[in-house]
Amino acid sequence: MGRRILVVDDDYLVLASLETMLRSNGFDPVTAESGVKALDILRKESFAVVLMDVIMRGLDGIDTLREIRNLSPETAVILISGYSEPERVLEALGNGAVDYIVKPCDEDEMVSRIEQAFRYRHSQSEE
């Protein structure tokens, strides 16, 4: 799987920005503009890591996370949001997210946390 990552956000500009940033840091991003599209992709392909916005039209990030846990429990999911309400963070982590990043986030910090998720996923697959 290498450094392939599924990136999910319903804001095209944010999605394009994340895709560019990830490519420039050596990742191979695949993008989805909705939770439904992300689940369709995950039914066909495996990803070690998913980076996904929390607040999206239709199926939001928390509900999509729950579906990912059922569909692909080994996938490490990082949720990103412009909001840092403690209840939302706890809900995300309680539903199986490995991290919760508050936007805006420094590029180096985001890359570091994504790399941590890849290491976490790799360590889980060795058990």
Side-chain angles (χ1 to χ4, degrees):
M1 271 184 264
R3 292 171 55 96
R4 284 186 75 226
I5 181 170
L6 179 59
V7 184
V8 188
D9 199 306
D10 65 346
D11 182 324
Y12 174 77
L13 294 176
V14 172
L15 193 62
S17 175
L18 286 170
E19 179 180 23
T20 299
M21 182 270 296
L22 290 166
R23 278 195 200 292
S24 72
N25 282 283
F27 294 96
D28 180 17
V30 173
T31 61
E33 62 281 351
S34 70
V36 171
K37 178 71 173 166
L39 294 171
D40 287 344
I41 291 169
L42 283 165
R43 285 184 185 97
K44 299 172 191 150
E45 301 177 57
S46 295
F47 290 85
V49 177
V50 172
L51 178 66
M52 179 169 50
D53 193 19
V54 172
I55 299 173
M56 296 186 289
R57 290 178 295 281
L59 197 61
D60 73 10
I62 300 292
D63 290 335
T64 305
L65 169 63
R66 288 183 185 117
E67 291 298 320
I68 292 171
R69 295 275 51 88
N70 291 329
L71 185 63
S72 180
E74 69 282 355
T75 300
V77 178
I78 301 171
L79 291 176
I80 57 175
S81 178
Y83 304 98
S84 64
E85 300 108 359
E87 313 80 45
R88 177 91 53 178
V89 175
L90 290 173
E91 182 179 17
L93 297 174
N95 279 286
V98 299
D99 203 349
Y100 189 101
I101 299 173
V102 178
K103 297 185 281 187
C105 180
D106 174 75
E107 182 175 324
D108 291 336
E109 175 73 15
M110 183 172 283
V111 168
S112 173
R113 291 168 77 170
I114 292 169
E115 287 174 345
Q116 280 181 309
F118 273 97
R119 284 192 298 275
Y120 169 80
R121 171 60 177 85
H122 183 71
S123 71
Q124 295 298 307
S125 66
E126 290 180 344
E127 291 181 359

